[in-house]
Protein backbone atom coordinates (compact mmCIF):
# COMPACT_ATOMS: atom_id res chain seq x y z
CA UNK A 1 0.00 0.00 0.00
CA UNK A 2 1.70 3.20 -1.14
CA UNK A 3 1.08 6.60 0.31
CA UNK A 4 1.98 10.23 -0.40
CA UNK A 5 2.80 11.60 2.98
CA UNK A 6 4.20 14.75 4.56
CA UNK A 7 5.64 14.45 8.07
CA UNK A 8 6.01 17.44 10.39
CA UNK A 9 7.66 17.62 13.79
CA UNK A 10 10.08 19.82 15.66
CA UNK A 11 13.74 18.87 15.60
CA UNK A 12 14.10 16.29 18.36
CA UNK A 13 10.52 15.03 18.07
CA UNK A 14 11.69 11.66 16.75
CA UNK A 15 10.59 12.53 13.22
CA UNK A 16 13.65 10.98 11.53
CA UNK A 17 13.13 7.62 13.25
CA UNK A 18 9.40 7.58 12.49
CA UNK A 19 10.11 8.47 8.86
CA UNK A 20 12.52 5.56 8.47
CA UNK A 21 9.98 3.13 9.92
CA UNK A 22 7.16 4.57 7.81
CA UNK A 23 9.20 4.48 4.62
CA UNK A 24 9.85 0.78 5.19
CA UNK A 25 6.28 -0.03 6.24
CA UNK A 26 4.68 1.62 3.20
CA UNK A 27 7.56 0.95 0.76
CA UNK A 28 7.96 4.57 -0.29
CA UNK A 29 11.15 6.65 -0.59
CA UNK A 30 12.06 8.73 2.47
CA UNK A 31 12.79 12.17 1.03
CA UNK A 32 14.57 14.25 3.65
CA UNK A 33 15.64 17.71 2.49
CA UNK A 34 18.07 17.92 5.44
CA UNK A 35 19.75 14.66 4.32
CA UNK A 36 19.80 15.84 0.69
CA UNK A 37 21.45 19.11 1.70
CA UNK A 38 23.96 17.42 4.02
CA UNK A 39 24.96 15.09 1.15
CA UNK A 40 25.26 18.06 -1.22
CA UNK A 41 27.42 19.87 1.32
CA UNK A 42 29.67 16.85 1.76
CA UNK A 43 30.08 16.52 -2.03
CA UNK A 44 30.60 20.28 -2.34
CA UNK A 45 28.02 20.62 -5.12
CA UNK A 46 26.85 24.17 -6.01
CA UNK A 47 23.68 23.63 -3.93
CA UNK A 48 25.78 22.32 -1.05
CA UNK A 49 28.05 25.34 -1.08
CA UNK A 50 25.05 27.65 -1.22
CA UNK A 51 23.42 25.79 1.69
CA UNK A 52 26.47 25.78 3.96
CA UNK A 53 26.11 29.12 5.78
CA UNK A 54 22.38 28.57 6.32
CA UNK A 55 22.79 25.08 7.69
CA UNK A 56 25.64 26.01 9.98
CA UNK A 57 23.62 28.75 11.60
CA UNK A 58 20.32 26.84 11.64
CA UNK A 59 18.59 29.29 9.28
CA UNK A 60 16.24 28.20 6.52
CA UNK A 61 17.41 28.25 2.91
CA UNK A 62 15.50 30.50 0.50
CA UNK A 63 12.17 29.06 -0.65
CA UNK A 64 13.02 29.17 -4.37
CA UNK A 65 16.06 26.94 -3.93
CA UNK A 66 14.10 24.44 -1.82
CA UNK A 67 11.09 24.37 -4.13
CA UNK A 68 13.34 23.71 -7.13
CA UNK A 69 15.15 20.94 -5.25
CA UNK A 70 11.95 19.16 -4.21
CA UNK A 71 10.28 19.53 -7.63
CA UNK A 72 13.28 17.80 -9.15
CA UNK A 73 13.29 15.06 -6.53
CA UNK A 74 9.55 14.35 -6.80
CA UNK A 75 9.98 14.01 -10.57
CA UNK A 76 12.27 10.99 -10.11
CA UNK A 77 10.90 7.54 -10.99
CA UNK A 78 11.00 6.15 -7.45
CA UNK A 79 8.59 8.85 -6.23
CA UNK A 80 5.99 8.13 -8.87
CA UNK A 81 3.60 6.10 -6.73
CA UNK A 82 4.35 7.39 -3.28
CA UNK A 83 6.81 9.21 -1.06
CA UNK A 84 7.35 10.50 2.38
CA UNK A 85 8.45 14.12 2.70
CA UNK A 86 10.56 14.93 5.76
CA UNK A 87 11.73 18.51 6.31
CA UNK A 88 9.73 19.98 3.43
CA UNK A 89 7.64 22.11 3.41
CA UNK A 90 9.09 24.33 6.15
CA UNK A 91 7.33 27.61 5.26
CA UNK A 92 3.84 28.64 4.13
CA UNK A 93 5.27 29.51 0.69
CA UNK A 94 6.78 26.02 0.36
CA UNK A 95 3.46 24.48 1.48
CA UNK A 96 1.55 26.50 -1.11
CA UNK A 97 4.03 25.49 -3.82
CA UNK A 98 3.67 21.82 -2.90
CA UNK A 99 -0.12 21.93 -2.77
CA UNK A 100 -0.13 23.69 -6.13
CA UNK A 101 2.31 21.22 -7.67
CA UNK A 102 0.50 18.10 -6.46
CA UNK A 103 -3.08 19.28 -6.02
CA UNK A 104 -4.89 16.36 -4.43
CA UNK A 105 -1.73 14.28 -4.76
CA UNK A 106 -1.08 14.36 -1.01
CA UNK A 107 -2.89 11.71 1.03
CA UNK A 108 -2.04 12.98 4.49
CA UNK A 109 0.18 15.30 6.53
CA UNK A 110 1.13 14.03 9.97
CA UNK A 111 2.35 16.33 12.71
CA UNK A 112 4.34 14.51 15.40
CA UNK A 113 3.66 16.79 18.30
CA UNK A 114 6.20 17.04 21.12
CA UNK A 115 6.31 20.14 23.37
CA UNK A 116 9.27 22.52 22.98
CA UNK A 117 10.62 21.90 26.52
CA UNK A 118 10.86 18.17 25.87
CA UNK A 119 12.59 18.46 22.48
CA UNK A 120 15.14 20.86 23.97
CA UNK A 121 16.07 18.29 26.62
CA UNK A 122 16.38 15.59 23.96
CA UNK A 123 18.51 17.76 21.69
CA UNK A 124 21.19 18.55 24.23
CA UNK A 125 21.63 14.80 24.63
CA UNK A 126 22.35 14.14 20.97
CA UNK A 127 25.21 15.72 19.08
CA UNK A 128 25.29 16.59 15.40
CA UNK A 129 27.77 18.92 13.69
CA UNK A 130 25.19 21.65 13.18
CA UNK A 131 23.70 21.24 16.69
CA UNK A 132 25.32 24.13 18.52
CA UNK A 133 23.03 25.58 21.25
CA UNK A 134 22.57 28.73 19.13
CA UNK A 135 21.64 26.72 16.05
CA UNK A 136 19.15 24.66 18.09
CA UNK A 137 17.46 27.83 19.37
CA UNK A 138 17.40 29.33 15.88
CA UNK A 139 15.89 26.18 14.39
CA UNK A 140 13.20 25.91 17.06
CA UNK A 141 12.30 29.59 16.63
CA UNK A 142 12.16 29.14 12.84
CA UNK A 143 9.79 26.22 13.39
CA UNK A 144 7.34 28.35 15.39
CA UNK A 145 7.59 31.28 13.03
CA UNK A 146 7.66 29.55 9.64
CA UNK A 147 6.67 25.91 9.89
CA UNK A 148 3.61 26.27 12.11
CA UNK A 149 1.97 28.40 9.36
CA UNK A 150 2.96 25.71 6.81
CA UNK A 151 1.22 23.07 8.96
CA UNK A 152 -1.88 25.27 9.07
CA UNK A 153 -2.09 25.10 5.27
CA UNK A 154 -2.57 21.34 5.51
CA UNK A 155 -5.10 21.73 8.33
CA UNK A 156 -7.04 24.17 6.11
CA UNK A 157 -6.93 21.64 3.27
CA UNK A 158 -8.37 18.95 5.57
CA UNK A 159 -5.18 16.90 5.24
CA UNK A 160 -3.66 17.22 8.71
CA UNK A 161 -3.51 14.55 11.39
CA UNK A 162 -1.87 15.58 14.66
CA UNK A 163 -0.35 12.74 16.65
CA UNK A 164 0.78 12.81 20.28
CA UNK A 165 4.55 12.39 19.88
CA UNK A 166 5.50 11.77 23.51
CA UNK A 167 5.88 8.04 24.16
CA UNK A 168 7.83 4.99 23.04
CA UNK A 169 8.89 4.84 19.39
CA UNK A 170 6.60 1.89 18.61
CA UNK A 171 3.62 3.52 20.34
CA UNK A 172 3.98 6.69 18.28
CA UNK A 173 4.56 4.59 15.14
CA UNK A 174 1.33 2.67 15.83
CA UNK A 175 -0.62 5.92 16.10
CA UNK A 176 0.76 7.22 12.82
CA UNK A 177 0.21 3.96 10.93
CA UNK A 178 -3.40 3.70 12.01
CA UNK A 179 -4.04 7.32 10.96
CA UNK A 180 -2.56 6.59 7.52
CA UNK A 181 -4.46 3.33 7.09
CA UNK A 182 -7.70 5.01 8.06
CA UNK A 183 -7.09 7.75 5.50
CA UNK A 184 -6.15 5.31 2.72
CA UNK A 185 -9.24 3.26 3.54
CA UNK A 186 -11.40 6.35 3.07
CA UNK A 187 -9.99 7.04 -0.40
P1 LIG B 1 16.92 19.16 8.95
O1 LIG B 1 17.84 17.99 8.99
O2 LIG B 1 15.60 18.83 8.32
O3 LIG B 1 16.75 19.81 10.29
O4 LIG B 1 17.59 20.25 8.00
C1 LIG B 1 18.86 20.79 8.29
C2 LIG B 1 18.99 22.20 7.74
O5 LIG B 1 18.79 22.19 6.32
C3 LIG B 1 17.96 23.19 8.26
O6 LIG B 1 18.34 23.75 9.50
C4 LIG B 1 17.94 24.23 7.14
O7 LIG B 1 19.07 25.06 7.19
C5 LIG B 1 18.07 23.35 5.90
N1 LIG B 1 16.75 22.92 5.38
C6 LIG B 1 16.26 21.64 5.30
N2 LIG B 1 15.04 21.62 4.76
C7 LIG B 1 14.72 22.91 4.48
C8 LIG B 1 13.57 23.55 3.91
N3 LIG B 1 12.48 22.84 3.52
N4 LIG B 1 13.60 24.90 3.78
C9 LIG B 1 14.67 25.62 4.15
N5 LIG B 1 15.76 25.09 4.69
C10 LIG B 1 15.81 23.74 4.87
Amino acid sequence: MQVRLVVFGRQGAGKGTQCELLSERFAVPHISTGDMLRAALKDETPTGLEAKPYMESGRLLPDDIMIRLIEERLGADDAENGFLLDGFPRTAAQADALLELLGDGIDLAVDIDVPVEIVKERMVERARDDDTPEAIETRLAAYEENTVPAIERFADAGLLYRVEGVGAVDEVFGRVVSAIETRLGEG
Side-chain angles (χ1 to χ4, degrees), residues 9-12 15 32-38 51-63 65-67 69-70 86-91 94 123 126 128 130-131 135 138-139 142 147:
R10 291 189 179 83
Q11 292 76 20
K15 176 166 57 76
S32 155
T33 46
D35 285 351
M36 287 168 72
L37 292 172
R38 276 185 288 277
K52 193 175 165 95
Y54 294 96
M55 295 182 74
E56 283 176 348
S57 60
R59 283 177 301 139
L60 295 177
L61 269 76
D63 287 330
I65 298 181
M66 295 308 304
I67 291 166
L69 196 73
I70 213 75
D86 169 9
F88 185 97
R90 281 276 237 289
T91 66
Q94 292 178 16
M123 286 175 78
R126 68 170 212 211
R128 209 172 64 188
D130 54 349
D131 268 352
T138 305
R139 283 207 298 274
T147 306

Side-chain angles (χ1 to χ4, degrees), residues 20 28 53 76 92 136 140 159 173:
E20 277 167 31
V28 288
I136 291 173
L140 287 174
L159 290 171
F173 183 59

